[in-house]
Coordinates of all heavy atoms in Angstrom, one line a residue:
M1 N 17.9 10.7 20.7 CA 17.0 11.8 20.4 C 16.5 11.7 18.9 O 15.3 11.8 18.7 CB 17.6 13.2 20.7 CG 16.8 14.3 20.3 SD 15.8 14.7 21.7 CE 15.3 16.3 21.3
Y2 N 17.4 11.5 18.0 CA 17.0 11.4 16.6 C 16.1 10.2 16.3 O 15.1 10.3 15.7 CB 18.2 11.3 15.7 CG 17.9 11.0 14.2 CD1 17.3 12.1 13.4 CD2 18.0 9.8 13.7 CE1 16.9 11.8 12.1 CE2 17.7 9.5 12.3 CZ 17.1 10.5 11.6 OH 16.8 10.2 10.3
Q3 N 16.5 9.0 17.0 CA 15.7 7.8 16.8 C 14.3 8.0 17.4 O 13.3 7.6 16.8 CB 16.4 6.7 17.5 CG 15.7 5.3 17.2 CD 16.6 4.1 17.8 OE1 17.6 4.3 18.4 NE2 16.1 3.0 17.4
E4 N 14.2 8.7 18.5 CA 12.9 8.9 19.1 C 12.0 9.8 18.2 O 10.8 9.6 17.9 CB 13.0 9.6 20.5 CG 11.8 9.8 21.2 CD 12.0 10.4 22.5 OE1 12.9 9.9 23.3 OE2 11.3 11.4 22.8
T5 N 12.6 10.8 17.6 CA 11.9 11.7 16.6 C 11.5 10.9 15.4 O 10.3 11.0 14.9 CB 12.8 12.9 16.2 OG1 13.1 13.6 17.4 CG2 12.0 13.8 15.3
S6 N 12.4 10.1 14.9 CA 12.1 9.3 13.7 C 11.0 8.3 14.0 O 10.1 8.1 13.2 CB 13.4 8.5 13.3 OG 13.1 7.7 12.3
E7 N 11.0 7.7 15.2 CA 9.9 6.8 15.6 C 8.6 7.6 15.7 O 7.5 7.0 15.2 CB 10.2 6.1 16.9 CG 9.3 5.0 17.3 CD 9.4 3.9 16.3 OE1 10.4 3.5 15.7 OE2 8.3 3.2 16.1
K8 N 8.6 8.7 16.2 CA 7.3 9.5 16.3 C 6.8 9.9 14.9 O 5.7 9.8 14.7 CB 7.5 10.8 17.2 CG 7.6 10.5 18.6 CD 7.8 11.8 19.4 CE 7.9 11.5 20.9 NZ 8.1 12.7 21.6
Q9 N 7.8 10.2 14.0 CA 7.3 10.5 12.6 C 6.8 9.4 11.9 O 5.8 9.5 11.2 CB 8.6 11.1 11.9 CG 9.0 12.5 12.3 CD 10.3 13.0 11.7 OE1 11.0 12.1 11.2 NE2 10.5 14.2 11.6
W10 N 7.4 8.2 12.1 CA 6.9 7.0 11.5 C 5.5 6.6 12.0 O 4.6 6.4 11.2 CB 7.9 5.8 11.7 CG 7.6 4.7 10.8 CD1 8.1 4.3 9.6 CD2 6.6 3.6 11.1 NE1 7.6 3.2 9.1 CE2 6.7 2.7 10.0 CE3 5.7 3.2 12.2 CZ2 5.8 1.5 9.9 CZ3 4.9 2.2 12.0 CH2 5.0 1.3 10.9
E11 N 5.3 6.7 13.2 CA 4.0 6.5 13.9 C 3.0 7.4 13.4 O 1.8 7.0 13.1 CB 4.2 6.6 15.5 CG 2.9 6.1 16.2 CD 2.6 4.6 15.9 OE1 3.5 3.8 15.8 OE2 1.4 4.3 15.8
A12 N 3.3 8.7 13.3 CA 2.4 9.7 12.7 C 1.9 9.4 11.3 O 0.7 9.5 11.0 CB 3.0 11.1 12.7
M13 N 2.9 9.0 10.5 CA 2.6 8.5 9.1 C 1.7 7.2 9.1 O 0.8 7.1 8.3 CB 3.8 8.3 8.2 CG 4.6 9.7 8.1 SD 3.6 11.1 7.4 CE 3.2 10.5 5.8
F14 N 2.0 6.3 10.0 CA 1.3 5.1 10.1 C -0.1 5.4 10.4 O -1.1 4.8 9.9 CB 1.9 4.2 11.2 CG 1.2 2.8 11.2 CD1 1.4 1.8 10.2 CD2 0.4 2.5 12.3 CE1 0.8 0.6 10.3 CE2 -0.3 1.3 12.3 CZ -0.1 0.4 11.4
Q15 N -0.4 6.4 11.3 CA -1.7 6.8 11.7 C -2.5 7.4 10.5 O -3.7 7.2 10.3 CB -1.7 7.8 12.9 CG -1.3 7.1 14.2 CD -2.1 5.9 14.5 OE1 -3.3 5.9 14.5 NE2 -1.4 4.8 15.0
L16 N -1.8 8.2 9.7 CA -2.4 8.7 8.5 C -2.8 7.6 7.6 O -3.8 7.7 6.9 CB -1.4 9.8 7.8 CG -1.2 11.1 8.4 CD1 -0.1 11.9 7.7 CD2 -2.5 11.8 8.5
L17 N -1.9 6.6 7.5 CA -2.2 5.5 6.5 C -3.5 4.8 7.1 O -4.3 4.4 6.3 CB -1.0 4.5 6.5 CG -1.2 3.3 5.7 CD1 -1.5 3.7 4.2 CD2 0.1 2.4 5.7
L18 N -3.6 4.6 8.4 CA -4.9 4.0 8.9 C -6.1 4.8 8.6 O -7.1 4.2 8.3 CB -4.7 3.8 10.5 CG -3.7 2.8 11.0 CD1 -3.6 2.9 12.5 CD2 -4.1 1.4 10.6
E19 N -6.0 6.1 8.7 CA -7.1 7.0 8.3 C -7.4 6.8 6.8 O -8.6 6.8 6.5 CB -6.7 8.4 8.6 CG -6.7 8.8 10.1 CD -6.1 10.1 10.4 OE1 -6.1 11.0 9.5 OE2 -5.7 10.3 11.5
Y20 N -6.4 6.7 6.0 CA -6.6 6.5 4.5 C -7.4 5.2 4.3 O -8.3 5.1 3.6 CB -5.3 6.5 3.8 CG -5.4 6.3 2.3 CD1 -5.5 7.4 1.5 CD2 -5.5 5.0 1.8 CE1 -5.6 7.2 0.1 CE2 -5.6 4.8 0.4 CZ -5.7 5.9 -0.4 OH -5.8 5.7 -1.8
K21 N -6.9 4.1 5.0 CA -7.5 2.8 4.9 C -9.0 2.9 5.4 O -9.8 2.3 4.7 CB -6.8 1.8 5.7 CG -7.3 0.4 5.4 CD -6.6 -0.7 6.2 CE -7.3 -2.0 5.8 NZ -6.8 -3.1 6.6
D22 N -9.3 3.6 6.4 CA -10.6 3.7 6.9 C -11.5 4.3 5.8 O -12.7 4.0 5.6 CB -10.8 4.5 8.2 CG -10.3 3.7 9.4 OD1 -10.2 2.5 9.3 OD2 -10.0 4.4 10.4
Q23 N -11.0 5.3 5.2 CA -11.8 6.1 4.1 C -11.8 5.4 2.8 O -12.8 5.4 2.1 CB -11.1 7.5 3.8 CG -11.2 8.4 5.0 CD -10.4 9.7 4.8 OE1 -9.8 9.9 3.7 NE2 -10.5 10.5 5.8
H24 N -10.8 4.6 2.4 CA -10.7 4.0 1.0 C -10.8 2.5 1.0 O -11.0 1.9 -0.1 CB -9.5 4.5 0.4 CG -9.3 6.0 0.2 ND1 -9.9 6.7 -0.9 CD2 -8.8 6.9 1.0 CE1 -9.7 7.9 -0.7 NE2 -9.0 8.2 0.4
G25 N -10.7 1.9 2.2 CA -10.8 0.4 2.3 C -9.6 -0.3 1.9 O -9.5 -1.5 1.7
N26 N -8.4 0.4 1.6 CA -7.2 -0.2 1.3 C -6.0 0.7 1.7 O -6.2 1.7 2.1 CB -7.2 -0.5 -0.2 CG -7.2 0.7 -1.1 OD1 -6.4 1.6 -1.0 ND2 -8.2 0.8 -2.0
T27 N -4.8 0.2 1.4 CA -3.6 1.0 1.7 C -2.9 1.3 0.5 O -1.7 1.7 0.5 CB -2.6 0.1 2.6 OG1 -2.3 -1.1 2.0 CG2 -3.3 -0.2 4.0
L28 N -3.6 1.4 -0.7 CA -3.0 1.7 -1.9 C -2.9 3.2 -2.2 O -3.5 3.7 -3.1 CB -3.7 1.0 -3.0 CG -3.7 -0.5 -2.9 CD1 -4.7 -1.2 -3.9 CD2 -2.4 -1.1 -3.0
V29 N -2.2 3.9 -1.4 CA -2.1 5.4 -1.5 C -1.3 5.7 -2.7 O -0.2 5.2 -2.9 CB -1.4 5.9 -0.3 CG1 -1.3 7.5 -0.3 CG2 -2.0 5.5 1.1
P30 N -1.9 6.5 -3.6 CA -1.1 6.9 -4.8 C 0.1 7.8 -4.4 O 0.1 8.5 -3.5 CB -2.1 7.8 -5.6 CG -3.4 7.5 -5.0 CD -3.2 7.1 -3.6
R31 N 1.2 7.6 -5.2 CA 2.4 8.3 -4.9 C 2.2 9.9 -4.9 O 2.8 10.6 -4.1 CB 3.5 7.9 -5.9 CG 4.9 8.3 -5.4 CD 6.0 7.8 -6.3 NE 6.4 6.5 -6.0 CZ 7.2 6.1 -5.1 NH1 7.8 7.1 -4.3 NH2 7.7 4.9 -4.9
S32 N 1.3 10.3 -5.7 CA 0.9 11.7 -5.8 C -0.5 11.9 -5.2 O -1.3 12.4 -6.0 CB 1.0 12.2 -7.2 OG 0.2 11.4 -8.1
Y33 N -0.6 11.7 -4.0 CA -1.9 11.7 -3.4 C -2.1 13.1 -2.9 O -1.4 13.7 -2.1 CB -2.0 10.8 -2.2 CG -3.3 10.8 -1.4 CD1 -4.5 10.6 -2.0 CD2 -3.2 10.9 0.0 CE1 -5.7 10.6 -1.3 CE2 -4.4 10.9 0.8 CZ -5.6 10.8 0.1 OH -6.8 10.8 0.9
N34 N -3.1 13.9 -3.6 CA -3.2 15.3 -3.4 C -3.5 15.7 -2.0 O -3.1 16.7 -1.6 CB -4.3 15.9 -4.4 CG -3.9 15.9 -5.8 OD1 -2.7 15.9 -6.0 ND2 -4.8 15.8 -6.8
K35 N -4.4 14.9 -1.4 CA -4.8 15.3 0.0 C -3.7 15.3 1.0 O -3.7 16.0 2.0 CB -6.0 14.5 0.5 CG -7.3 14.7 -0.2 CD -8.4 13.9 0.4 CE -9.7 14.1 -0.3 NZ -10.8 13.3 0.2
S36 N -2.7 14.4 0.8 CA -1.5 14.3 1.7 C -0.4 13.7 0.9 O -0.1 12.5 0.9 CB -1.9 13.3 2.8 OG -0.8 13.1 3.7
P37 N 0.3 14.6 0.2 CA 1.5 14.2 -0.7 C 2.5 13.5 0.1 O 3.1 12.6 -0.3 CB 2.0 15.5 -1.2 CG 0.9 16.4 -1.1 CD 0.0 16.1 0.1
Q38 N 2.7 13.9 1.4 CA 3.7 13.2 2.2 C 3.4 11.8 2.5 O 4.2 10.9 2.7 CB 4.0 14.0 3.5 CG 3.0 13.9 4.5 CD 1.9 14.9 4.5 OE1 1.6 15.5 3.4 NE2 1.2 15.2 5.6
L39 N 2.1 11.5 2.6 CA 1.7 10.1 2.8 C 2.0 9.2 1.6 O 2.5 8.1 1.8 CB 0.2 10.0 3.2 CG -0.4 8.6 3.4 CD1 0.3 7.9 4.6 CD2 -1.9 8.6 3.6
G40 N 1.8 9.7 0.4 CA 2.1 9.0 -0.7 C 3.5 8.7 -0.9 O 3.9 7.6 -1.2
R41 N 4.4 9.7 -0.6 CA 5.9 9.5 -0.6 C 6.2 8.5 0.5 O 7.1 7.7 0.3 CB 6.6 10.8 -0.4 CG 6.4 11.7 -1.6 CD 7.3 12.9 -1.5 NE 7.0 13.8 -0.4 CZ 6.2 14.8 -0.4 NH1 5.4 15.1 -1.4 NH2 6.0 15.5 0.7
W42 N 5.6 8.6 1.7 CA 6.0 7.7 2.8 C 5.7 6.3 2.4 O 6.5 5.4 2.7 CB 5.2 8.1 4.0 CG 5.6 7.3 5.3 CD1 6.7 7.5 6.1 CD2 4.8 6.2 5.7 NE1 6.6 6.5 7.1 CE2 5.5 5.8 6.9 CE3 3.7 5.6 5.4 CZ2 5.1 4.7 7.7 CZ3 3.2 4.6 6.2 CH2 3.9 4.2 7.3
V43 N 4.5 6.0 1.9 CA 4.1 4.6 1.5 C 5.1 4.1 0.5 O 5.6 2.9 0.6 CB 2.7 4.7 0.9 CG1 2.4 3.4 0.2 CG2 1.7 4.8 2.1
G44 N 5.5 4.9 -0.5 CA 6.5 4.5 -1.5 C 7.9 4.2 -0.8 O 8.5 3.2 -1.2
S45 N 8.2 5.0 0.1 CA 9.4 4.8 0.8 C 9.4 3.5 1.6 O 10.4 2.8 1.7 CB 9.6 6.0 1.8 OG 10.9 5.8 2.5
Q46 N 8.3 3.1 2.2 CA 8.2 1.9 3.0 C 8.4 0.7 2.0 O 9.1 -0.3 2.4 CB 6.9 1.8 3.7 CG 6.6 2.9 4.7 CD 7.8 3.2 5.6 OE1 8.1 2.4 6.5 NE2 8.3 4.4 5.5
R47 N 7.8 0.8 0.8 CA 7.9 -0.3 -0.1 C 9.4 -0.4 -0.6 O 9.9 -1.5 -0.7 CB 7.0 0.0 -1.3 CG 5.5 -0.3 -1.0 CD 4.7 -0.2 -2.3 NE 3.3 -0.4 -1.9 CZ 2.4 0.5 -2.0 NH1 2.7 1.7 -2.4 NH2 1.2 0.2 -1.6
C48 N 10.0 0.7 -0.8 CA 11.5 0.7 -1.2 C 12.3 0.2 -0.2 O 13.2 -0.7 -0.4 CB 11.9 2.2 -1.6 SG 13.5 2.3 -2.2
L49 N 12.2 0.6 1.1 CA 13.0 0.1 2.2 C 12.8 -1.4 2.4 O 13.7 -2.2 2.6 CB 12.7 0.8 3.5 CG 13.1 2.3 3.6 CD1 12.4 2.9 4.8 CD2 14.6 2.4 3.7
H50 N 11.5 -1.9 2.2 CA 11.2 -3.3 2.4 C 11.9 -4.1 1.3 O 12.5 -5.1 1.6 CB 9.7 -3.5 2.3 CG 9.3 -4.9 2.5 ND1 8.9 -5.7 1.4 CD2 9.1 -5.7 3.5 CE1 8.6 -6.9 1.8 NE2 8.8 -6.9 3.2
S51 N 11.9 -3.6 0.0 CA 12.5 -4.4 -1.0 C 14.0 -4.4 -0.9 O 14.7 -5.4 -1.3 CB 12.2 -3.7 -2.4 OG 12.9 -2.5 -2.6
K52 N 14.6 -3.5 -0.2 CA 16.1 -3.6 0.1 C 16.4 -4.2 1.4 O 17.6 -4.1 1.8 CB 16.6 -2.1 0.1 CG 16.6 -1.4 -1.2 CD 17.4 -0.1 -1.1 CE 16.6 1.2 -1.3 NZ 17.4 2.4 -1.2
K53 N 15.3 -4.7 2.0 CA 15.5 -5.4 3.4 C 16.0 -4.4 4.4 O 16.8 -4.8 5.3 CB 16.4 -6.6 3.3 CG 16.1 -7.6 2.2 CD 15.2 -8.7 2.7 CE 15.1 -9.8 1.6 NZ 13.9 -9.8 0.9
E54 N 15.6 -3.2 4.3 CA 16.1 -2.1 5.3 C 15.0 -1.7 6.2 O 15.2 -0.7 7.0 CB 16.7 -0.9 4.5 CG 17.9 -1.3 3.7 CD 18.5 -0.1 3.0 OE1 17.9 1.0 3.0 OE2 19.4 -0.3 2.2
L55 N 13.9 -2.3 6.2 CA 12.7 -2.0 7.1 C 12.7 -2.9 8.2 O 12.7 -4.1 8.1 CB 11.4 -2.0 6.3 CG 10.2 -1.4 6.9 CD1 10.4 0.1 7.1 CD2 9.0 -1.6 6.1
S56 N 12.6 -2.4 9.5 CA 12.6 -3.3 10.6 C 11.5 -4.2 10.6 O 10.4 -3.9 10.0 CB 12.6 -2.4 11.9 OG 11.3 -1.9 12.1
S57 N 11.8 -5.4 11.2 CA 10.7 -6.4 11.2 C 9.4 -5.9 11.9 O 8.3 -6.3 11.6 CB 11.2 -7.7 11.8 OG 11.7 -7.5 13.2
N58 N 9.6 -5.1 13.0 CA 8.5 -4.6 13.7 C 7.6 -3.7 12.8 O 6.3 -3.9 12.8 CB 8.9 -3.8 14.9 CG 7.8 -3.2 15.7 OD1 6.9 -3.8 16.0 ND2 7.9 -1.9 16.0
R59 N 8.2 -2.9 11.9 CA 7.5 -2.1 11.0 C 6.8 -2.9 10.0 O 5.7 -2.7 9.6 CB 8.3 -1.0 10.5 CG 8.7 0.0 11.5 CD 9.6 1.1 11.0 NE 9.8 2.2 12.0 CZ 10.6 3.2 11.8 NH1 11.2 3.5 10.7 NH2 10.7 4.1 12.9
V60 N 7.5 -3.9 9.5 CA 6.9 -4.8 8.5 C 5.6 -5.5 9.0 O 4.6 -5.5 8.4 CB 8.0 -5.9 8.0 CG1 7.3 -6.9 7.2 CG2 9.1 -5.2 7.3
L61 N 5.7 -6.0 10.2 CA 4.6 -6.6 10.9 C 3.4 -5.7 11.0 O 2.3 -6.1 10.9 CB 5.0 -7.3 12.2 CG 6.0 -8.5 12.1 CD1 6.5 -8.9 13.4 CD2 5.2 -9.6 11.4
R62 N 3.8 -4.5 11.5 CA 2.7 -3.5 11.7 C 2.0 -3.2 10.4 O 0.8 -3.1 10.4 CB 3.2 -2.2 12.3 CG 3.8 -2.5 13.7 CD 3.5 -1.5 14.8 NE 2.4 -0.7 14.8 CZ 2.4 0.6 15.1 NH1 3.5 1.2 15.3 NH2 1.3 1.3 15.1
L63 N 2.8 -2.9 9.3 CA 2.2 -2.7 8.1 C 1.4 -3.9 7.5 O 0.3 -3.8 7.0 CB 3.2 -2.3 7.0 CG 3.8 -0.9 7.3 CD1 5.2 -0.7 6.5 CD2 2.8 0.2 7.0
E64 N 1.9 -5.1 7.7 CA 1.3 -6.3 7.2 C -0.1 -6.5 8.0 O -1.0 -7.0 7.4 CB 2.1 -7.5 7.3 CG 3.2 -7.4 6.2 CD 4.2 -8.6 6.2 OE1 4.2 -9.4 7.2 OE2 4.9 -8.7 5.2
S65 N -0.1 -6.1 9.3 CA -1.3 -6.3 10.1 C -2.5 -5.6 9.6 O -3.6 -5.8 9.9 CB -1.0 -6.0 11.6 OG -0.9 -4.6 11.8
I66 N -2.2 -4.5 8.8 CA -3.4 -3.7 8.3 C -3.6 -4.0 6.8 O -4.3 -3.3 6.1 CB -3.2 -2.2 8.5 CG1 -1.9 -1.7 7.8 CG2 -3.1 -1.9 10.0 CD1 -1.9 -0.1 7.8
G67 N -3.0 -5.0 6.3 CA -3.2 -5.4 4.8 C -2.3 -4.6 3.8 O -2.7 -4.4 2.7
F68 N -1.2 -4.1 4.3 CA -0.3 -3.3 3.4 C 0.1 -4.1 2.2 O 0.5 -5.3 2.4 CB 0.9 -2.8 4.2 CG 1.7 -1.8 3.4 CD1 1.3 -0.5 3.5 CD2 2.9 -2.1 2.8 CE1 2.0 0.5 2.8 CE2 3.6 -1.1 2.1 CZ 3.2 0.1 2.1
V69 N 0.0 -3.5 1.0 CA 0.4 -4.2 -0.2 C 1.9 -3.8 -0.6 O 2.1 -2.6 -0.7 CB -0.5 -3.9 -1.4 CG1 -0.1 -4.5 -2.7 CG2 -1.9 -4.3 -1.1
W70 N 2.8 -4.8 -0.6 CA 4.2 -4.5 -0.9 C 4.4 -4.3 -2.3 O 5.2 -3.3 -2.7 CB 5.1 -5.6 -0.3 CG 5.0 -5.7 1.2 CD1 4.5 -6.7 1.9 CD2 5.5 -4.8 2.1 NE1 4.5 -6.4 3.3 CE2 5.2 -5.2 3.4 CE3 6.1 -3.5 2.0 CZ2 5.6 -4.5 4.6 CZ3 6.5 -2.8 3.2 CH2 6.2 -3.3 4.4
C71 N 3.8 -5.0 -3.1 CA 4.2 -4.9 -4.6 C 2.9 -4.5 -5.4 O 2.1 -5.4 -5.7 CB 4.8 -6.2 -5.1 SG 5.3 -6.0 -6.8
V72 N 2.7 -3.3 -5.7 CA 1.5 -2.8 -6.3 C 1.4 -3.3 -7.8 O 0.4 -3.6 -8.3 CB 1.4 -1.3 -6.3 CG1 0.2 -0.8 -7.1 CG2 1.5 -0.8 -4.9
Q73 N 2.6 -3.5 -8.4 CA 2.6 -3.9 -9.8 C 2.0 -5.3 -10.0 O 1.3 -5.6 -10.9 CB 4.0 -3.9 -10.4 CG 4.5 -2.5 -10.6 CD 6.0 -2.5 -11.0 OE1 6.8 -3.3 -10.6 NE2 6.4 -1.4 -11.7
I74 N 2.3 -6.2 -9.0 CA 1.7 -7.6 -9.0 C 0.3 -7.5 -8.9 O -0.6 -8.1 -9.5 CB 2.4 -8.5 -8.1 CG1 3.8 -8.8 -8.4 CG2 1.6 -9.7 -7.8 CD1 4.7 -9.5 -7.4
L75 N -0.2 -6.6 -7.9 CA -1.6 -6.4 -7.7 C -2.3 -6.0 -8.9 O -3.4 -6.5 -9.3 CB -1.9 -5.5 -6.5 CG -3.3 -5.2 -6.2 CD1 -3.9 -6.4 -5.6 CD2 -3.4 -4.1 -5.2
I76 N -1.7 -5.0 -9.6 CA -2.3 -4.5 -10.9 C -2.4 -5.5 -11.9 O -3.5 -5.7 -12.5 CB -1.5 -3.3 -11.3 CG1 -1.7 -2.0 -10.4 CG2 -2.0 -2.8 -12.8 CD1 -0.8 -0.9 -10.7
V77 N -1.4 -6.3 -12.1 CA -1.4 -7.4 -13.1 C -2.5 -8.4 -12.7 O -3.3 -8.8 -13.6 CB -0.1 -8.1 -13.2 CG1 -0.1 -9.4 -14.0 CG2 1.0 -7.1 -13.9
D78 N -2.6 -8.8 -11.5 CA -3.6 -9.8 -11.1 C -5.0 -9.2 -11.2 O -5.9 -9.9 -11.7 CB -3.4 -10.2 -9.6 CG -2.2 -11.1 -9.3 OD1 -1.6 -11.6 -10.4 OD2 -1.8 -11.2 -8.2
T79 N -5.2 -7.9 -10.9 CA -6.5 -7.4 -11.0 C -6.9 -7.3 -12.5 O -8.0 -7.5 -12.9 CB -6.5 -5.9 -10.4 OG1 -6.1 -6.1 -9.0 CG2 -7.8 -5.3 -10.4
N80 N -5.9 -6.8 -13.4 CA -6.2 -6.8 -14.8 C -6.6 -8.2 -15.3 O -7.4 -8.3 -16.2 CB -5.1 -6.1 -15.5 CG -4.9 -4.6 -15.3 OD1 -5.9 -4.0 -14.9 ND2 -3.8 -4.1 -15.5
W81 N -5.8 -9.2 -14.9 CA -6.0 -10.5 -15.4 C -7.4 -11.0 -14.9 O -8.2 -11.5 -15.8 CB -5.0 -11.5 -14.8 CG -5.1 -12.8 -15.5 CD1 -4.4 -13.3 -16.6 CD2 -5.9 -13.9 -15.2 NE1 -4.7 -14.5 -16.9 CE2 -5.7 -15.0 -16.0 CE3 -6.9 -14.1 -14.1 CZ2 -6.3 -16.2 -16.0 CZ3 -7.5 -15.3 -14.1 CH2 -7.3 -16.4 -15.0
D82 N -7.8 -10.7 -13.7 CA -9.2 -11.1 -13.2 C -10.2 -10.4 -14.0 O -11.3 -11.0 -14.4 CB -9.3 -10.9 -11.7 CG -8.5 -11.7 -10.9 OD1 -8.1 -12.8 -11.4 OD2 -8.2 -11.4 -9.7
A83 N -10.0 -9.1 -14.3 CA -11.0 -8.3 -15.0 C -11.1 -8.9 -16.4 O -12.3 -9.0 -17.0 CB -10.6 -6.8 -15.1
M84 N -10.0 -9.2 -17.1 CA -10.1 -9.7 -18.4 C -10.7 -11.1 -18.5 O -11.4 -11.4 -19.4 CB -8.7 -9.7 -19.1 CG -8.1 -8.3 -19.3 SD -9.2 -7.2 -20.2 CE -9.1 -8.0 -21.9
Y85 N -10.5 -11.9 -17.5 CA -11.1 -13.2 -17.4 C -12.6 -13.1 -17.3 O -13.3 -13.8 -17.9 CB -10.5 -14.0 -16.2 CG -11.0 -15.4 -16.2 CD1 -10.6 -16.3 -17.0 CD2 -11.9 -15.8 -15.1 CE1 -11.1 -17.6 -17.0 CE2 -12.3 -17.1 -15.0 CZ -12.0 -18.0 -15.9 OH -12.4 -19.3 -15.9
Q86 N -13.0 -12.1 -16.5 CA -14.5 -12.0 -16.3 C -15.1 -11.5 -17.7 O -16.2 -11.9 -18.0 CB -14.8 -10.9 -15.2 CG -14.5 -11.3 -13.8 CD -15.3 -12.6 -13.5 OE1 -16.6 -12.8 -13.8 NE2 -14.6 -13.6 -12.9
L87 N -14.5 -10.6 -18.4 CA -14.9 -10.3 -19.7 C -15.0 -11.5 -20.7 O -16.0 -11.7 -21.4 CB -14.0 -9.2 -20.2 CG -14.1 -7.8 -19.7 CD1 -13.1 -6.9 -20.3 CD2 -15.5 -7.2 -19.8
L88 N -14.0 -12.3 -20.6 CA -14.0 -13.5 -21.4 C -15.2 -14.5 -21.0 O -15.9 -15.0 -21.9 CB -12.7 -14.3 -21.2 CG -12.6 -15.7 -22.0 CD1 -12.6 -15.4 -23.5 CD2 -11.3 -16.3 -21.6
L89 N -15.5 -14.6 -19.7 CA -16.6 -15.4 -19.3 C -17.9 -14.8 -19.8 O -18.8 -15.6 -20.3 CB -16.7 -15.6 -17.8 CG -15.5 -16.4 -17.2 CD1 -15.6 -16.4 -15.6 CD2 -15.5 -17.8 -17.8
E90 N -18.0 -13.5 -19.7 CA -19.2 -12.9 -20.2 C -19.4 -13.0 -21.7 O -20.5 -13.3 -22.2 CB -19.2 -11.3 -19.9 CG -19.3 -11.1 -18.4 CD -19.1 -9.7 -18.1 OE1 -19.2 -8.7 -18.9 OE2 -18.8 -9.3 -16.9
Y91 N -18.3 -12.9 -22.5 CA -18.3 -13.1 -23.9 C -18.8 -14.6 -24.2 O -19.6 -14.8 -25.1 CB -17.0 -12.8 -24.5 CG -16.9 -13.1 -26.0 CD1 -17.2 -12.0 -26.9 CD2 -16.4 -14.2 -26.6 CE1 -17.2 -12.2 -28.3 CE2 -16.4 -14.5 -27.9 CZ -16.8 -13.5 -28.7 OH -16.7 -13.6 -30.1
K92 N -18.2 -15.5 -23.5 CA -18.5 -16.9 -23.8 C -20.1 -17.1 -23.5 O -20.7 -17.9 -24.3 CB -17.7 -17.8 -22.8 CG -18.0 -19.3 -23.0 CD -17.2 -20.1 -22.1 CE -17.7 -21.6 -22.2 NZ -18.0 -22.2 -21.0
D93 N -20.6 -16.5 -22.4 CA -22.0 -16.7 -22.1 C -22.9 -16.1 -23.2 O -24.0 -16.6 -23.6 CB -22.4 -16.0 -20.8 CG -21.8 -16.8 -19.6 OD1 -21.4 -18.0 -19.8 OD2 -21.8 -16.2 -18.5
Q94 N -22.4 -15.0 -23.8 CA -23.2 -14.3 -24.8 C -23.1 -15.0 -26.2 O -24.0 -14.9 -27.0 CB -22.8 -12.9 -25.0 CG -23.2 -12.0 -23.7 CD -22.6 -10.6 -23.9 OE1 -22.1 -10.2 -24.9 NE2 -22.8 -9.9 -22.8
H95 N -22.0 -15.7 -26.5 CA -21.8 -16.2 -27.8 C -21.6 -17.7 -27.7 O -21.3 -18.4 -28.5 CB -20.5 -15.6 -28.5 CG -20.7 -14.1 -28.6 ND1 -20.4 -13.2 -27.6 CD2 -21.1 -13.3 -29.7 CE1 -20.7 -12.0 -28.0 NE2 -21.0 -12.0 -29.2

């Protein structure tokens, strides 16, 4: 009974994540997402469980199938690097 309820809750949150992705084009839900605080906490929880290898392979695959980002810090570093590189190219063109 508990496992069934847990599965329904996970599925409901996954559906909210799909709706978020449709609206925002990504799965990068802020931890303090005002429109749905529970979604932000759930996304953080999925990342935490994954890092501890406690997330089932089925759930990992489902999340990955929609482009879920596991490590946001790496994404931020990569994005910042790309942005700075573009600024450098623009500077080089101008000078």
Side-chain angles (χ1 to χ4, degrees):
M1 179 85 162
Y2 172 76
Q3 187 173 6
E4 184 178 312
T5 302
S6 176
E7 188 63 34
K8 285 181 181 179
Q9 289 173 338
W10 193 93
E11 189 60 39
M13 295 308 296
F14 184 77
Q15 292 304 314
L16 285 176
L17 181 59
L18 288 175
E19 291 172 17
Y20 180 93
K21 184 178 180 186
D22 285 344
Q23 292 175 359
H24 300 276
N26 62 57
T27 61
L28 302 171
V29 182
R31 196 174 276 278
S32 58
Y33 181 51
N34 290 335
K35 289 185 180 178
S36 179
Q38 73 274 21
L39 180 60
R41 289 189 301 271
W42 182 82
V43 165
S45 176
Q46 301 312 295
R47 288 189 179 111
C48 183
L49 290 169
H50 181 261
S51 71
K52 294 194 242 177
K53 309 263 189 263
E54 295 177 3
L55 192 61
S56 74
S57 59
N58 180 47
R59 290 180 176 179
V60 169
L61 290 173
R62 294 220 30 226
L63 289 166
E64 288 178 347
S65 75
I66 63 167
F68 192 80
V69 176
W70 294 110
C71 187
V72 178
Q73 290 173 330
I74 291 172
L75 179 67
I76 291 170
V77 169
D78 288 347
T79 302
N80 287 341
W81 190 93
D82 289 340
M84 294 306 291
Y85 183 70
Q86 288 303 314
L87 288 174
L88 177 62
L89 292 177
E90 290 171 20
Y91 178 85
K92 181 182 176 229
D93 287 345
Q94 291 175 4
H95 298 81

